[in-house]
Amino acid sequence: MKTQSDTIRILLTHMQRIIHKHSFLEDHPIRFAKDIVLTPREIHTIQAIGEHPEINIKELGELFGVSKSAASQMTAKLVGKGYVCKENPIDNNKELRLSLTDAGRQAFHAHACFHGKHLAELEKCLKSEFSDSETARTAELLAIIENVMDKRISTLTREG
Amino acid sequence: MKTQSDTIRILLTHMQRIIHKHSFLEDHPIRFAKDIVLTPREIHTIQAIGEHPEINIKELGELFGVSKSAASQMTAKLVGKGYVCKENPIDNNKELRLSLTDAGRQAFHAHACFHGKHLAELEKCLKSEFSDSETARTAELLAIIENVMDKRISTLTREG
DNA sequence: ACAAAATGGTAAAGGTGCTTTACTATAATC
DNA sequence: GATTATAGTAAAGCACCTTTACCATTTTGT
């Protein structure tokens, strides 16, 4: 006889494996074309710049939760590879606004398609086996998990 | 009016945030006692050794999906810090069996408590708001997500 | 208006945890 | 007993991060 504790245990095991597999995927560079191979970090940076036009370096760092120095290094690399362009706005010689070059937009688009495809597939699978209310209920359950994690994070950041 | 696609989108957003928060937690060392601060990697290694008594270095690497060299380096560090002990089995001078020292067992235990506490809290929250069948259904849904990820991983590993 | 402080960006040095390559030493196999 | 396989380590290097220190350009306060 399975108790609810058992099903929760199973649920969390799946969650753990999903997280693990996600980080596996995140750790592997993706080839978008014959000669375009980008690390996950590079892709995400391109994505962030594509989705936040005119973002500056400091903001980019904040978006990723890393130091501005780290953001500067990452962008410098992408500028070097020709995916990103840095330039001062007309009335400001201090900040640098980031934008995508043609190659950058191409990578951005390829990545979006890539993601869209997988999302569509997942959606198809879920719809075929779960009702609307079931998916909604699952979303609520995940929200609870998220809340518990938030609590833990806040205790962690308080203690330093 | 919310369509099922919308609820799926919401569900996946929660999932993404959970993953993000998880990796945030994973990136921060944990203080188990006044003077015991361990990185997540160190804790996990201690945990793995505690849960797999007599494991050797190569197996430890396989367990984590890293090279045996990485496992060797991690182990050496933990031996240096006094949490882990390496020794040859009586009839074998090639392999090294890993085990926890007193300090290692202490850290292992502290970590287990730490986890148990959070698990208990999460379980309490979930039980208070979700029926057994709902949690079971959610587990099934997560299994589907996992399957889709598996497919993606396998295409990835085929293409090299 | 101009000195002081704040802000955006970069450079240098260093850390962590990984990889690959090359190398030992021991064990297994023919 | 010679060869081959296996467990472990060392060295070098990579990706990405941090901190510190430093410029250059605003912004502010008087």
Side-chain angles (χ1 to χ4, degrees):
Chain A
M1 180 55 193
K2 247 191 267 180
T3 68
Q4 185 170 12
S5 293
D6 291 332
T7 68
I8 290 177
R9 216 57 56 87
I10 292 170
L11 190 162
L12 293 178
T13 300
H14 281 300
M15 181 62 81
Q16 218 163 312
R17 287 209 291 252
I18 287 170
I19 289 172
H20 181 257
K21 283 166 187 174
H22 181 268
S23 78
F24 177 87
L25 287 169
E26 288 298 89
D27 275 352
H28 290 261
I30 300 178
R31 166 172 295 114
F32 288 109
K34 290 260 178 329
D35 48 350
I36 306 183
V37 176
L38 298 172
T39 69
R41 198 36 147 183
E42 290 170 336
I43 296 160
H44 290 152
T45 306
I46 288 172
Q47 186 187 2
I49 295 172
E51 287 172 356
H52 299 81
E54 307 276 296
I55 197 174
N56 69 26
I57 289 190
K58 187 201 161 213
E59 289 161 355
L60 185 66
E62 284 167 357
L63 194 61
F64 284 160
V66 300
S67 65
K68 60 181 179 164
S69 190
S72 169
Q73 291 168 36
M74 189 73 238
T75 36
K77 195 168 110 187
L78 287 174
V79 169
K81 290 191 174 187
Y83 294 106
V84 168
C85 169
K86 278 193 293 202
E87 57 186 343
N88 291 113
I90 335 130
D91 56 342
N92 186 323
N93 288 307
K94 192 168 62 163
E95 293 181 39
L96 290 170
R97 297 294 159 80
L98 305 177
S99 56
L100 299 179
T101 62
D102 283 351
R105 271 190 295 274
Q106 203 176 316
F108 177 74
H109 184 251
H111 176 251
C113 289
F114 183 81
H115 239 69
K117 234 177 52 193
H118 287 289
L119 193 84
E121 158 152 22
L122 183 56
E123 206 176 300
K124 206 186 70 192
C125 289
L126 294 182
K127 278 183 176 170
S128 77
E129 304 198 26
F130 294 87
S131 72
D132 193 352
S133 69
E134 282 175 325
T135 54
R137 205 67 182 122
T138 294
E140 289 169 28
L141 195 151
L142 294 185
I144 297 223
I145 294 181
E146 203 186 329
N147 279 349
V148 172
M149 294 180 84
D150 281 337
K151 261 194 260 176
R152 186 165 147 200
I153 287 176
S154 70
T155 65
L156 198 132
T157 49
R158 262 202 300 281
E159 292 166 10
Chain B
M1 181 52 195
K2 248 191 266 179
T3 67
Q4 186 170 10
S5 293
D6 291 333
T7 67
I8 290 177
R9 215 57 57 87
I10 292 170
L11 189 163
L12 293 178
T13 301
H14 281 300
M15 180 61 82
Q16 218 163 312
R17 287 210 291 254
I18 287 171
I19 288 171
H20 181 257
K21 283 166 187 173
H22 181 268
S23 78
F24 176 87
L25 288 168
E26 287 298 87
D27 275 351
H28 291 261
I30 300 178
R31 164 172 296 112
F32 287 109
K34 290 262 179 329
D35 49 349
I36 306 183
V37 176
L38 298 171
T39 68
R41 196 38 148 183
E42 290 170 337
I43 296 161
H44 289 152
T45 305
I46 288 171
Q47 186 187 2
I49 294 171
E51 286 173 356
H52 299 81
E54 306 277 296
I55 197 174
N56 69 26
I57 290 190
K58 187 201 161 212
E59 289 160 353
L60 185 66
E62 285 167 357
L63 193 63
F64 284 161
V66 300
S67 66
K68 61 180 179 164
S69 189
S72 169
Q73 291 166 37
M74 189 71 238
T75 309
K77 194 167 114 188
L78 287 174
V79 169
K81 290 190 174 188
Y83 294 106
V84 168
C85 169
K86 277 194 295 202
E87 59 185 344
N88 292 113
I90 336 130
D91 56 343
N92 185 323
N93 289 307
K94 189 166 64 161
E95 293 181 39
L96 290 170
R97 297 293 160 81
L98 305 177
S99 57
L100 299 179
T101 62
D102 283 351
R105 271 188 295 275
Q106 203 176 317
F108 177 75
H109 184 250
H111 175 250
C113 289
F114 183 81
H115 240 71
K117 233 176 52 192
H118 289 289
L119 193 83
E121 158 152 22
L122 183 56
E123 207 175 300
K124 205 186 71 191
C125 289
L126 294 182
K127 278 183 176 170
S128 78
E129 303 198 28
F130 293 87
S131 72
D132 194 352
S133 69
E134 281 175 324
T135 53
R137 203 69 181 121
T138 295
E140 289 169 27
L141 196 152
L142 294 185
I144 299 229
I145 295 182
E146 204 187 328
N147 279 350
V148 172
M149 295 181 84
D150 281 337
K151 262 195 258 175
R152 185 165 148 201
I153 288 176
S154 69
T155 65
L156 200 132
T157 49
R158 262 203 300 282
E159 292 166 11

